[in-house]
Structures are given as structure tokens and as C-alpha cells.
Amino acid sequence: MRAAIVWLLVLPFRGYRLFLSPWLGHACRFQPTCSAYAIEVLEAHGPLRGLWLTICRVARCNPWGGSGYDPVPPVPNRKATK
């Protein structure tokens, strides 16, 4: 079920990269681009956290925001070692 939700959330970003991005040009402020970041973070972190991280990233993509290398955060290890 989780994979199906992630697939549905990733679909618009893949469509954007395929159809709109070539027409709009490559002017993203970050590396990886916001669409590549969204796909990677959704696949790594799942639908809820991935969608939240994507929203935060797109909100930073503005003229007064940052720029440069902004990788996907690593997936936290859920096993507690004591």
C-alpha cells in the first residue's frame, strides 16, 4: 500500500520533469533540483515525511531562500541500540 501511495505522489514530479521542465528551462537554485529531490525523498522516507520534506524544500526555493547543494536527509535508523 505504501509503495502505491509513493508511486502516485511521484507521478506528478516525473510528469513535470518530462513535459514542463524542458520548456521552462533549468533554473533551479538547488542541487539536486527540486523535482529530483522530491522523487528521491518520497522514495526514501515514504509518503508522509517525504511530502513534508518536499514542501519545506519548495518553500525555500525563492529569490530570498538559499541555494547550492541540498541533499536528501538520511533515513533515521529506527532500531534503538542500547
Side-chain angles (χ1 to χ4, degrees), residues 58-72:
V58 171
R60 288 192 315 255
C61 193
N62 61 65
W64 302 278
S67 64
Y69 182 62
D70 183 25
V72 172

Side-chain angles (χ1 to χ4, degrees), residues 13-28:
F13 294 105
R14 291 196 190 276
Y16 167 79
R17 293 184 70 164
L18 185 64
F19 297 111
L20 287 176
S21 182
W23 291 93
L24 297 176
H26 304 285
C28 190

Side-chain angles (χ1 to χ4, degrees), residues 32 35-45 72:
S35 58
Y37 180 91
I39 293 169
E40 190 176 342
V41 79
L42 285 165
E43 290 174 347
H45 289 276
V72 172

Side-chain angles (χ1 to χ4, degrees), residues 4-5 8 18 22 24 27 33 49 51 54-55 63 65 68-70 72 74:
I5 294 171
L8 286 173
L18 185 64
L24 297 176
T33 63
R49 181 159 168 78
L51 194 56
T54 299
I55 291 169
Y69 182 62
D70 183 25
V72 172

